[in-house]
Amino acid sequence: MQGIKILSVAGCHPKKKVTNDDMAKIVETDDEWISTRTGIRSRYFCEDDESCVSMAIEACSTALQRSGISKEDIGCVICATISGDYATPSVSCMVQQALSLPEDIPVLDVNAACSGFIYALCVARGLLEASGKTYGLVIGMEELSRLLDMTDRTTCVLFGDGGGAAVIKRDPNALFRQTLGARGGKEISCLGAGNANSFIQMDGKAVFRFAVWAMPKCIDELLKADDGCDISLTDIDHVVCHQANSRIIDHVVKKSKEDPSKFYKNMDHFGNTSAGSIPLALSELYENGSLKKGDRLILVGFGAGLTWGGVMITFGD
């Protein structure tokens, strides 16, 4: 199977910034309690004129412009989300309509929670391979604020809205490795649907234990190869982890024995945006000039389900 590379990225978040002090007016908490445990100091929440779909459309439009690819060349649209505007139609279908993308292509959403963008990249790769098409649009976008119980301080302070999109290219010579998995179950983290428990619920300590096991596992598997062509972490330019908690990423850094600056963090001003966190971080890396053509990336995440996943991929044509 051929590899893929990321040609362009773009992010989007709502206008309304919500600080920890703002959250303290809603629920019993304070900035010190939140920031010392998570590294989060603010996040963004959608207002009435914003949604998962509207943000996805904006991010995809910018990503397409940055890629230089004609929208007629897009061969699939895959969105990772747990918070689309509707159960159906999908966010991807709404993006397709809004941007007048081709109709003879597969368009769908995937749900792997916070691992979703990784899963979406792998799904897009398979669909492009099957169709023989070259370019795909992969989205990770969330509007989690409407899924939060604002009386539950253990969860409502953690999450925010936003995400990003990437234009990918199928390339027989591209470096690409993937690892995916799931343990199954709803005991640690879950989201109800159409019932009294239609809010995000989470066992924070159990999530932490799972995360610090899953992410180093993914990184190790990506660096090793069946053909013996192992790659050292020193040869990777950026490691972008799911942005759930700064202490989780600190643990991954310590276990890797690598330079902490290689592990990007932005949960301090975005919070946990689930499937949106990795593309949102990639967009920031690009916009601040840190992400350059030819850079080798490891993207790694974990999420409810319990899912985990990682890819090794290159940025730029």
Side-chain angles (χ1 to χ4, degrees), residues 4-26:
I4 55 173
K5 58 177 62 173
I6 296 175
L7 294 187
S8 66
V9 291
C12 184
H13 61 77
K15 297 183 290 291
K16 181 182 178 182
K17 183 177 182 178
V18 181
T19 67
N20 288 347
D21 290 335
D22 293 327
M23 293 300 297
K25 299 173 184 176
I26 301 171

Side-chain angles (χ1 to χ4, degrees), residues 118-175:
I118 305 298
Y119 273 68
L121 285 171
C122 298
V123 169
R125 178 197 181 202
L127 290 172
L128 291 178
E129 178 80 11
S131 69
K133 295 185 182 293
T134 303
Y135 302 102
L137 191 54
V138 181
I139 312 158
M141 190 63 67
E142 302 285 10
E143 185 190 353
L144 300 175
S145 57
R146 63 184 178 83
L147 305 178
L148 300 176
D149 177 357
M150 289 300 179
T151 67
D152 180 5
R153 74 168 188 165
T154 63
T155 57
C156 72
V157 300
L158 304 178
F159 297 94
D161 300 341
V167 175
I168 63 168
K169 178 182 180 181
R170 184 169 63 95
D171 185 335
N173 300 313
L175 170 68

Side-chain angles (χ1 to χ4, degrees), residues 2 20 51 57 97-98 111 117 134 144 152 156 165-166 168 177 208 213 228 255 261 273 275 298:
Q2 295 184 2
N20 288 347
S51 72
I57 291 168
Q97 179 191 50
N111 176 357
F117 186 71
T134 303
L144 300 175
D152 180 5
C156 72
I168 63 168
R177 296 179 181 179
F208 187 94
W213 169 82
K255 194 162 186 179
S261 67
T273 56
I298 282 181

